[in-house]
Amino acid sequence: EADIVYNDPEVQGIVVTSPTFTHPDICLNALKAGKDVLCEKPVAADMKTTAQVYDEAEKQGRVLFCAFNRRFDPALQSLEERVKKGEIGQIHRFKTSSRDSPLPTIEYLRISGGIFHDCAVHDIDECLWIMKELPTQVHTMAHCFTPAIAELDDVDTVSITMKFASGAIASIDLSRLSTYGYDQRTEVYGSKGMLMNHNTSPTNLRHSNVTGETAQPMYYSFPQRYAASYQQELVHFLNIIQGLEDPRVVKEDTLFSSYIAEACEESHRTGLPVSLSFDHLTSTPAVHEKVVSNGAESVPMEQEAKVTS
């Protein structure tokens, strides 16, 4: 019955939220039918197929928008904007903690693509989006505490370190199981100060008395924590279809994050740091541009470490 959707002239855009292994075929069929596509990450389980789907979008003159939802979270949008304004000066450290709640089912994990492509890509994309710089090296340490996940040749606990040409260091802390709620934190530290995005709860209400202080638990899982971001990315997609906005996530964003995730997994499996080069992924020199208010020219993402606040 999918052909009914593909062939409907009144359908302008298609949203793909099916299992990862189905993404490429659905996206390709939709693009060939002349539809714009919003696809949940990842577009495909490997970079070659991801690039092929984007190439088809370019061939058809349609939009392929990969939904990295954190870019649409109000708190993280505010953090990114304030970093961009130079409030913390030159970035020294970037940190995220992303710990799942509840533990995903084994049935889901079996088709998820693994923790690096299912989870780490979100933190990697968030890091690149906020730092406006590409890493030169990654180093990963990981372990699996859950026997059923180990049987899938996957891990459930990961620590990723990324080094940048500017000297900045990023740290990503991942876990498949947080027993106390969906733990999502970001910290950006620089020469002029620090910005932090803490965990939130439905009301943020705290109660203090003679016995101490109690607080409402943090959000249970991602549908609750990122509800606003999912709504906003869908609005953005509808605006793209109507020609009101340009996509905030483009081909290079998706390929960069996927490439880095692959390097992180390689580092985990070899136990060695992995050096990175993005020349083979850059088809448009100024994909990520930052307009400097003093009238200087826009600077591509890979050169932004040289931009002063």
Side-chain angles (χ1 to χ4, degrees), residues 226-301:
Y226 286 118
S229 72
Y230 292 126
Q231 293 169 358
Q232 289 304 311
E233 74 177 5
L234 184 56
V235 169
H236 177 58
F237 180 57
L238 294 175
N239 286 339
I240 292 171
I241 292 175
Q242 299 174 79
L244 302 176
E245 296 182 32
D246 293 326
R248 298 184 198 171
V249 182
V250 296
K251 177 181 179 179
E252 281 76 8
D253 295 315
T254 308
L255 292 178
F256 288 164
S257 294
S258 181
Y259 171 58
I260 295 169
E262 286 187 359
C264 291
E265 183 170 11
E266 179 186 343
S267 177
H268 151 59
R269 295 191 182 281
T270 63
L272 300 171
V274 176
S275 296
L276 305 174
S277 172
F278 296 85
D279 293 343
H280 64 297
L281 299 177
T282 306
S283 59
T284 306
V287 170
H288 292 266
E289 292 188 339
K290 175 179 177 182
V291 178
V292 182
S293 59
N294 63 7
E297 293 182 357
S298 298
V299 182
M301 183 178 182

